[in-house]
Amino acid sequence: MNLSAFNLPANLVAKADPELIQPDEVHFAMIERSLESSIAELTEQLEAERKAPGGQGQAALERDQEIHRLSARLRALRRFGLDLCLGYMITASEDADPMIDQAEPVYIGRFGLTDGSGRRLLLDWRAPAAEPFFGATHANPMGLLSRRRYRWTRGRVTDYWDEVFTPEGLKNRAALDDQSAFIASLADNRSARMRDVLGTIQADQDAIIRAGSRGALVVDGGPGTGKTVVALHRTAYLLYSDPRLEHHRGDVLFVGPHQPYLNYVADVLPSLGEEGVQTCTLRDFVPEGATAITELDPQVVALKTSAELLKAIDSAVALYERPPTEGMLLETPWADVWLSAADWAEGFDAAEPAAAHNEARDQIWDAVIRILLDKLRDAFDDWQDDVDEFDACAIASEDQESRMRRALAGNRELVRSFGKAWPLLEAAEIVGDLWSVPAYLRMSAPWLSSEQLSALRRPEGSPWTDADLPFLDAARLRLGDPEASRRRQRQAAAAEAGRNRMSEVVRDAIANDDSEMQVMSMLRGQDLRAALVDQDAVSGPDPDLLAGPFGHIVVDEAQELNDAQWQMLLQRCPSRSFTIVGDRAQARHGFAESWRQRLARLGFDRIEMASLTINYRTPEEVMIEAEPVIRSVLPDANVPHSIRSSGIPVRYGMSSELSGIMTDWLATHQEGVGCVISAQAPTGLQASERLRLLSPELVKGLEFDLVVLLEPENFGEGIEAAVDRYVAMTRATQQLVVLSAE
């Protein structure tokens, strides 16, 4: 390489000793050549796949998947350069003498990388063999002699730190400054997106990242302990290691607390090579979530956040799934047929038990039609005796059935009766009727008292609230997409029209075939004629990627979820395989139970606990002030221990100082992000890339260099206000300012 991979500052000149970094330079050169070769090879393969014929069916699907795989791999390799490498570890070989033999370093990367000869240049950080790189401690070296981690800035190493675990590790000429780069990285300026921290994952975090995925794993940790880091990297790890989960197929769902949080962490999973993970908030599960307002009535909140009331959805839908109790006589071109109540019941029994209401509707309709077809066939055969012999040969049994189906589908009385017995339903209509029609709610939830029925009633057309969203979601999953049934009907009609047109063409072709071999007669075969019809005449929209089912769900800030919201997630993950990340002390509405008690009550049967107790983010100056705030309402709060100091004491002042404080800070800090956290939007300030204006509810999971807590006395009283103040204070990574009202 013409340019050194190292760009160490003057105060780290000792670390620039060639004996310390020359082996790395050589290895980086090999990585660079391999990257260039891999990118060129993948680019050529991708171009060839795109030029290849698309094919049909399975061949087309496999081609698309290969294009997707190659494109994702190319994006991952182009995203990084040499900073693909996180560091290296030197392991004691079982048959080597550590005092004589020089152990070879194993370099750890974001992805695995080999050269043209198959030599491994980088070991994927998620591989089992890479675990000691993150998990080794002086108490448990895990077989390591030493370990080096790099600190990259704009593609070059600006610091590194070596850790030696045994006396023999000194033989590897380690630069014994084993915390400088790590501690410095904790104080780095923040940006609008979460910075990369893969190279600094600590042993307590890595152990949780690599834990198994059976059942529910609860990660409990206070502010700054890296819960979000663990949640994101565990997502990438499970996609790599768990055979139940397939890449890029929506098998893992990541749920965050709010949209600013998702924006903040948006780059993390792609930087780990995982672009197929669905990320969302609970509001994203239903279209109404985007505009839903906050429910303010405490009695309504108490009722709607209970999982018990969600049972009303199933009962409400079941009222629309009752077969007619009387038979009916249907007129057709061939004969009049009787559809009895028993026939109706038989057709309704054809619905698959797990089928959504609107999907089952098509199954029942097909079953009812089959019952009628059986009754019509004899009459149709008698009628067809009048058709001439040539046409009888040209019209196969499928044509007979299609004619009968078309006639039955056009019978208004049949269609009307079926529509009343099993109508297409919309989720918003079901939930809206529950809240606006007391008799409907009483039938669907007979356990409710008159007072509760009255509390839940709302005028028709009222705006949706956040408490309604679990009900809308439950109704959508129970009903299925009503448009799917309509699309299937349109597709069936289009395909039927195509077959009819093709039958006419075939008859004409056969009638006018004067060839000696009568080759057109082969078109009488139904399989051949069906192949001539475009089966994709009507295309459907993309599927609902958030509907599930998912093999694993990761939930961050899970302490905020109520019982009804948990049901939104449980319905999407039948295996109950979850990573649940949260802090009971940060629950705005309190969290009286233990994690085990709450999850067992919700239906989890396998629950493992893990705890994070070290605060890597918040300076001790801030935690000293924040700890009494939360302990005043939660004496047993899991308050983590801060491992660093910023040297900047917490500043207190009056709200009139806000404008001057922010102006001075932005002028003296060319990098970093500040945030003003207040109950009401402050006047005189405008949000920007480096200045955020947020409410306490929208800062969970975020972090800022400067936090200004504006008039915290306006947050209210009780546990909710105390939690809001505690959360807001602990978002600071460098400085906290608390400004009270005049």
Side-chain angles (χ1 to χ4, degrees):
M1 297 189 306
N2 295 325
L3 179 67
S4 170
F6 289 82
N7 186 26
L8 300 169
N11 63 313
L12 297 179
V13 64
K15 289 188 173 184
D17 184 338
E19 287 195 12
L20 293 175
I21 65 173
Q22 186 58 34
D24 286 349
E25 295 274 30
V26 173
H27 199 81
F28 289 155
M30 291 189 289
I31 291 175
E32 187 172 53
R33 288 193 296 269
S34 181
L35 276 174
E36 291 175 354
S37 175
S38 297
I39 289 174
E41 182 179 347
L42 285 169
T43 301
E44 184 177 342
Q45 292 177 10
L46 180 60
E47 187 67 19
E49 284 291 340
R50 286 174 171 165
K51 290 180 178 179
Q56 293 182 343
Q58 184 65 26
L61 176 62
E62 292 176 355
R63 173 180 175 270
D64 289 345
Q65 289 176 341
E66 181 64 8
I67 289 175
H68 179 84
R69 185 190 69 81
L70 292 171
S71 299
R73 179 67 173 175
L74 261 177
R75 284 192 297 271
L77 292 179
R78 287 171 172 163
R79 193 181 187 97
F80 297 97
L82 294 178
D83 50 352
L84 194 66
C85 181
L86 305 173
Y88 68 72
M89 59 183 180
I90 297 179
T91 306
S93 174
E94 293 183 359
D95 56 356
D97 185 342
M99 299 304 296
I100 300 174
D101 298 329
Q102 175 69 52
E104 286 292 322
V106 176
Y107 286 81
I108 310 299
R110 298 174 183 279
F111 323 114
L113 188 68
T114 58
D115 63 14
S117 64
R119 176 187 176 186
R120 184 177 64 194
L121 300 178
L122 290 175
L123 177 65
D124 192 300
W125 70 275
R126 295 169 291 188
E131 184 175 357
F133 179 77
F134 301 96
T137 64
H138 290 281
N140 179 21
M142 300 178 70
L144 293 195
L145 298 177
S146 64
R147 168 175 63 196
R148 172 172 292 185
R149 303 198 202 201
Y150 304 115
R151 187 182 186 199
W152 295 91
T153 305
R154 298 180 181 87
R156 299 178 74 188
V157 178
T158 53
D159 197 359
Y160 63 90
W161 72 104
D162 289 342
E163 296 163 275
V164 174
F165 298 98
T166 66
E168 294 81 7
L170 292 171
K171 180 174 178 291
N172 297 292
R173 302 183 301 277
L176 295 180
D177 183 16
D178 58 352
Q179 287 298 315
S180 66
F182 173 57
I183 296 298
S185 71
L186 298 178
D188 279 350
N189 291 319
R190 267 46 184 180
S191 65
R193 296 292 178 93
M194 187 177 189
R195 62 192 176 88
D196 174 60
V197 295
L198 177 57
T200 59
I201 286 176
Q202 298 300 289
D204 59 338
Q205 298 170 336
D206 185 66
I208 298 172
I209 289 170
R210 296 176 187 270
S213 64
R214 293 189 63 187
L217 173 65
V218 179
V219 184
D220 182 80
T225 55
K227 298 188 299 298
T228 297
V229 168
V230 166
L232 291 163
H233 289 76
R234 177 165 166 76
T235 301
Y237 173 77
L238 290 178
L239 283 167
Y240 174 88
S241 64
D242 193 328
R244 299 181 307 108
L245 307 176
E246 299 180 25
H247 287 68
H248 313 302
R249 300 210 179 161
D251 278 341
V252 175
L253 176 67
F254 189 97
V255 181
H258 46 70
Q259 193 57 48
Y261 168 95
L262 293 183
N263 295 340
Y264 180 59
V265 303
D267 287 343
V268 177
L269 285 170
S271 75
L272 298 172
E274 300 300 342
E275 298 181 342
V277 178
Q278 297 300 319
T279 61
C280 70
T281 69
L282 290 177
R283 284 179 174 261
D284 296 327
F285 285 155
V286 293
E288 297 83 358
T291 57
I293 62 177
T294 302
E295 177 59 68
L296 300 177
D297 187 325
Q299 185 179 7
V300 174
V301 170
L303 288 169
K304 291 186 178 180
T305 55
S306 168
E308 179 71 15
L309 190 55
L310 281 175
K311 297 176 182 177
I313 294 296
D314 193 62
S315 299
V317 175
L319 293 173
Y320 291 96
E321 298 178 341
R322 297 177 177 176
T325 56
E326 296 182 0
M328 60 189 304
L329 186 66
L330 299 175
E331 296 181 0
T332 76
W334 309 280
D336 294 344
V337 292
W338 177 253
L339 185 64
S340 67
D343 293 331
W344 277 116
E346 180 184 347
F348 275 49
D349 287 342
E352 296 178 4
H357 171 91
N358 292 321
E359 179 183 343
R361 186 178 191 272
D362 291 342
Q363 297 172 2
I364 293 170
W365 174 257
D366 286 342
V368 171
I369 293 299
R370 284 195 301 271
I371 292 171
L372 291 170
L373 286 174
D374 289 339
K375 296 186 175 188
L376 277 173
R377 280 197 175 91
D378 290 341
F380 184 80
D381 290 341
D382 293 340
W383 171 85
Q384 193 174 326
D385 288 342
D386 296 332
V387 180
D388 63 49
E389 182 178 353
F390 175 80
D391 282 343
C393 294
I395 302 173
S397 60
E398 290 189 22
D399 292 312
Q400 298 174 14
E401 182 171 314
S402 66
R403 290 186 180 191
M404 289 188 287
R405 283 183 177 275
R406 193 161 56 250
L408 292 171
N411 188 296
R412 293 183 179 180
E413 186 178 1
L414 175 63
V415 172
R416 183 169 55 251
S417 297
F418 179 70
K420 288 181 179 180
W422 198 294
L424 282 173
L425 296 175
E426 301 271 1
E429 293 175 354
I430 290 291
V431 180
D433 287 347
L434 280 176
W435 306 150
S436 60
V437 183
Y440 186 40
L441 180 57
R442 187 180 298 109
M443 287 188 293
S444 304
W447 63 86
L448 292 176
S449 67
S450 298
E451 180 185 0
Q452 292 170 327
L453 289 169
S454 178
L456 289 169
R457 186 174 184 181
R458 64 173 199 167
E460 187 174 353
S462 298
W464 298 109
T465 72
D466 52 359
D468 293 323
L469 302 185
F471 294 86
L472 290 163
D473 184 58
R476 287 187 75 227
L477 294 177
R478 174 67 175 80
L479 294 173
D481 182 7
E483 282 302 315
S485 178
R486 299 186 181 107
R487 286 193 299 271
R488 283 192 291 268
Q489 293 172 10
R490 291 194 295 269
Q491 286 176 318
E496 178 68 18
R499 283 191 293 269
N500 291 335
R501 288 193 300 270
M502 191 54 59
S503 292
E504 294 176 3
V505 171
V506 167
R507 281 196 292 268
D508 290 343
I510 293 175
N512 296 307
D513 183 12
D514 57 1
S515 66
E516 182 177 347
M517 300 291 293
Q518 293 287 296
V519 294
M520 288 300 174
S521 61
M522 73 177 64
L523 295 176
R524 289 193 178 103
Q526 283 298 319
D527 291 342
L528 182 55
R529 280 192 280 170
L532 299 176
V533 178
D534 181 8
Q535 299 297 325
D536 298 321
V538 181
S539 60
D542 292 335
D544 182 358
L545 297 178
L546 298 180
F550 294 94
H552 190 83
I553 295 181
V554 181
V555 193
D556 202 356
E557 302 297 344
Q559 73 278 352
E560 298 296 348
L561 272 61
N562 58 52
D563 288 5
Q565 291 171 327
W566 271 111
Q567 295 305 314
M568 300 171 77
L569 298 176
L570 289 169
Q571 289 185 92
R572 289 169 165 80
C573 189
S575 67
R576 300 293 191 265
S577 177
F578 278 76
T579 298
I580 298 166
V581 181
D583 178 13
R584 292 170 60 243
Q586 295 185 59
R588 297 187 72 240
H589 304 293
F591 200 123
E593 305 165 288
S594 69
W595 280 110
R596 286 190 182 277
Q597 289 171 330
R598 173 164 292 189
L599 296 178
R601 179 168 54 77
L602 290 167
F604 288 92
D605 56 356
R606 294 176 58 92
I607 305 168
E608 299 292 334
M609 298 294 302
S611 183
L612 295 170
T613 59
I614 300 174
N615 190 333
Y616 298 102
R617 176 185 68 211
T618 316
E620 61 180 352
E621 292 88 349
V622 173
M623 286 306 299
I624 289 173
E625 301 292 321
E627 182 172 353
V629 172
I630 195 62
R631 292 213 184 276
S632 66
V633 293
L634 294 171
D636 64 341
N638 178 15
V639 178
H641 171 69
S642 293
I643 64 169
R644 70 183 186 90
S645 169
S646 67
I648 307 174
V650 176
R651 174 179 172 181
Y652 290 88
M654 308 304 290
S655 57
S656 58
E657 304 175 56
L658 175 62
S659 179
I661 289 173
M662 296 312 304
T663 300
D664 290 346
W665 187 84
L666 290 170
T668 55
H669 294 76
Q670 300 305 309
E671 296 181 346
V673 178
C675 183
V676 178
I677 304 174
S678 59
Q680 292 85 32
T683 58
L685 289 180
Q686 186 173 359
S688 66
E689 188 72 8
R690 296 191 58 219
L691 174 58
R692 309 294 299 279
L693 309 175
L694 296 172
S695 65
E697 299 92 328
L698 294 180
V699 297
K700 274 195 170 71
L702 306 182
E703 53 187 25
F704 310 96
D705 299 279
L706 168 70
V707 167
V708 177
L709 190 55
L710 182 62
E711 300 181 356
E713 61 271 16
N714 292 335
F715 289 5
E717 299 179 353
I719 188 169
E720 184 173 317
V723 168
D724 283 348
R725 287 195 288 271
Y726 177 63
V727 170
M729 295 172 78
T730 55
R731 300 307 97 190
T733 64
Q734 294 184 15
Q735 183 179 7
L736 171 66
V737 178
V738 181
L739 301 179
S740 302
E742 299 293 340

